[in-house]
Amino acid sequence: MWDPDKYLDYADLRARPFHDLVARIGATEPRRVVDLGCGPGNLTVSLRDRWPSATLECSDSSPEMVKAARARGLDAALLDVRDWTPAPDTDVVVSNAVLQWVPDHGSLLRRWAASLPTGAYLAIQVPGNFAAPSHVLTRELAASPAWASRLAEVVLREDDAVLSPLGYANLLADAGCGVDAWETTYVQPLRGPSPVLEWITGTALRPIRAELTDEEWARFRADLAPRLDEAYPPRPDGTTWFEFRRVFVVAQV
């Protein structure tokens, strides 16, 4: 279950990769623009603003996120990204921080590239920080004797959940696309008590939250907080630096 309010914590910092991704899309007058995994719609509206004459299609697999997007005036659909098929007039597809949740999403990208019209843009962004302390410590705690039996069914993303920029470049070049692929590590300034815990609560910790009762969730957070605080100590001015690596691909069919 996604919590739109928690996801929107640090909304400005979370938005930076989206804007950097979309800035590399060269479409001028697309007929249809699609946002797959639109979340609460706070970023989707910028696509509408950039291409006001295009038909805007957006969807998400979370009922909570779809409800929040619709509250922003978007005609968001409840849809699993694996079930999406491009309409014939689709000229831009954006998938921001979604495909890391989809095993073997390379086959999905190949299918989309084969289905899109010539000249269409396919732009994706995925996190590349699964080997960071934030994620390693979470996996270690979930596998510890205190939690292993309770969280045995939870699938947490490993470092192989996504490809490198080169991996995506080869995949989409083999599919006949022109490719622009890169990675960026943002050094995000976080503040407040246990800021890294609060940051990942809205994303990486979601599968764990879904499995635990409120009491168990509070205990898990209490167990994880000091581990993260030690790995990410605050500066004397109260700032905690959080390295936030992202992988980007903009392919043109």
Side-chain angles (χ1 to χ4, degrees):
M1 178 176 178
W2 284 95
D3 181 344
D5 293 332
K6 175 57 67 175
Y7 183 80
L8 287 171
D9 286 350
Y10 302 110
D12 289 345
L13 296 181
R14 292 191 191 280
R16 291 178 64 191
F18 177 90
H19 293 303
D20 287 349
L21 175 71
V22 172
R24 298 293 295 172
I25 299 174
T28 54
E29 296 184 1
R31 296 165 296 172
R32 178 180 297 268
V33 175
V34 180
D35 188 1
L36 298 173
C38 65
N42 59 305
L43 298 175
T44 310
V45 294
S46 69
L47 302 178
R48 181 179 60 193
D49 294 342
R50 177 173 173 181
W51 294 296
S53 63
T55 298
L56 180 60
E57 176 186 334
C58 60
S59 60
D60 201 281
S61 62
S62 163
E64 295 81 15
M65 290 297 196
V66 168
K67 181 180 179 181
R70 289 174 178 171
R72 283 188 163 82
L74 297 168
D75 186 20
L78 183 64
L79 180 71
D80 188 312
V81 67
R82 292 168 291 190
D83 297 329
W84 178 75
T85 300
D89 63 345
T90 302
D91 290 326
V92 173
V93 180
V94 177
S95 177
N96 184 61
V98 174
L99 294 181
Q100 72 275 13
W101 298 106
V102 181
D104 189 29
H105 57 262
S107 61
L108 202 59
L109 292 172
R110 284 189 287 268
R111 175 161 64 83
W112 291 347
S115 302
L116 289 167
T118 299
Y121 286 87
L122 174 56
I124 69 166
Q125 181 268 122
V126 290
N129 57 341
F130 298 109
S134 55
H135 291 62
V136 172
L137 291 170
T138 297
R139 292 195 296 267
E140 289 177 351
L141 180 59
S144 69
W147 292 102
S149 61
R150 189 67 184 85
L151 296 174
E153 302 301 318
V154 174
V155 177
L156 297 175
R157 302 295 90 182
E158 299 280 354
D159 201 35
D160 61 358
V162 302
L163 302 180
S164 67
L166 179 60
Y168 285 114
N170 280 326
L171 186 154
L172 286 163
D174 288 345
C177 299
V179 183
D180 179 11
W182 72 98
E183 67 177 68
T184 299
T185 298
Y186 300 89
V187 181
Q188 307 283 41
L190 308 183
R191 290 184 172 273
S194 298
V196 175
L197 174 63
E198 296 304 325
W199 177 280
I200 66 174
T201 289
T203 52
L205 293 186
R206 183 183 64 86
I208 291 175
R209 177 64 185 101
E211 291 295 317
L212 300 180
T213 66
D214 290 349
E215 180 182 351
E216 290 171 332
W217 173 236
R219 285 197 292 112
F220 188 88
R221 282 173 54 91
D223 287 349
L224 184 57
R227 292 169 167 82
L228 293 176
D229 291 346
E230 182 179 0
Y232 298 93
R235 285 172 39 82
D237 65 2
T239 300
T240 296
W241 296 120
F242 181 65
E243 292 184 304
F244 189 53
R245 176 176 174 260
R246 317 301 284 187
V247 175
F248 302 81
V249 187
V250 176
Q252 188 173 21
V253 177

